[in-house]
Structure formats: structure tokens, C-alpha cells
Amino acid sequence: MPTPLPALVVVDVQRAFDEWEAAGKRRNNPDAVARIAELLAAFRTNRAPIFHIRHEGTRPNSSFLPSRSGYAVKDEAREQDGEPVIDKRVNSAFIGTDLETRLREAGITTLVICGATTNHCVETTARMAGNLGFDARLVRDATWTFDRIGPDGDAHSAEEIHAMTLSNLNGEFARIVTADEVIASFAAE
């Protein structure tokens, strides 16, 4: 029996993040959504599974409430017919959803994870994927994050946070890859 293709897990590529930027929050990886669009095209061309994860806010002021404009998916990452959309309410795509069940039933063992934000929902999903025994690959140039102030008051740049998150995950929870490497892997099969 042939090894199943990897699944692309697209996490929270929603307009709320555009609204955050418009409000002055600074992010890294400005080309991340373009890389996500390239990944989607490659997975579609190769008929590999795609799972769209959408964050549904629960707090009254959340940018991700279904009634708000930020809940909508960015045009470049919108699902096509037949591609499942899984709503989550916490920062892991595995908690409170049927993602793991769907993956196991399909015999999928390799996950290619991209989306937003690197150090929140992408990181938590990648950590859980690794803990659940999946071969997780986090696409470094298809995820992004924002500048943050730490609990000590120190400012941390999006670039530093992104790099530290990738360093923390690398080798233990996920393999860190680029979009080009993922796309090239289809030609190698």
C-alpha cells in the first residue's frame, strides 16, 4: 500500500490579523500568505489533503468572533469545495475538534503546518501533532507573528519570537522546512 500523501494544515489565516496590522501591530514574514497560497496550489495540484483551521473567538471583544469581519479567511487562503474547515476555540487545532480523528481515519501520518501566529496557534498545533506521533513539518516562511511585550516589560521583535519558536520546536516536535522544500518534495515522489 502506498504511503499516504502529507496533509496541509492551514491555521487561522484570517482577516483579524490584517486588522491588527492596520491598528499598528508590527509583524514579520510579510510574504507568508503568498507562501501559503503556493502551498495550497501545490497540495491541490498533487491531490494531497488540506485541512483549514479557523479560530472562533469566545471573548466578547475578540476579533475572531464569527459576527465580526476578522473571522473571515483571507482570500488567498480560502478553502475550495471539498476541503474541510475545522473551527477551533482554543490555540490547538486538536483540542475540541475532530482533526485527529479525521487524520487517523485517512491514514495520514505527515502534517505540513502553516498559518498564524507562529508562537500561538501554529506552535501549539505543531507541539500537539508531535506529541500525538505525527511527523510534523512547520513551514518557517509560511507563518508569522507580531512584536510583543514580555511579562518583564521587555520588547521582543516578531523576528526574535519567530526564530525562538522555530528553535524550540525544531527536532523535538517538528521539522522546520521552507515552502520551496515542501513543494519540491512532491516532485521527488
Side-chain angles (χ1 to χ4, degrees), residues 46-64:
N46 289 281
R47 293 189 170 93
I50 299 169
F51 294 86
H52 298 269
I53 310 301
R54 191 169 297 157
H55 190 75
E56 183 178 308
T58 57
R59 295 188 182 124
N61 62 345
S62 173
S63 304
F64 295 93

Side-chain angles (χ1 to χ4, degrees), residues 1-37:
M1 183 167 129
T3 304
L5 291 168
L8 182 64
V9 179
V10 184
V11 180
D12 301 350
V13 184
Q14 292 167 262
R15 291 187 179 158
F17 295 117
D18 293 340
E19 294 172 5
W20 292 11
E21 270 190 275
K25 291 191 178 202
R26 198 190 74 79
R27 64 173 266 194
N28 71 316
N29 254 359
D31 296 329
V33 176
R35 299 292 81 76
I36 292 167

Side-chain angles (χ1 to χ4, degrees), residues 113 122-132 136 165 168-169 173-174:
I113 302 167
V122 170
E123 177 179 14
T124 308
T125 298
R127 283 178 181 270
M128 285 204 67
N131 283 326
L132 290 169
T165 300
N168 289 339
L169 295 173
F173 298 99

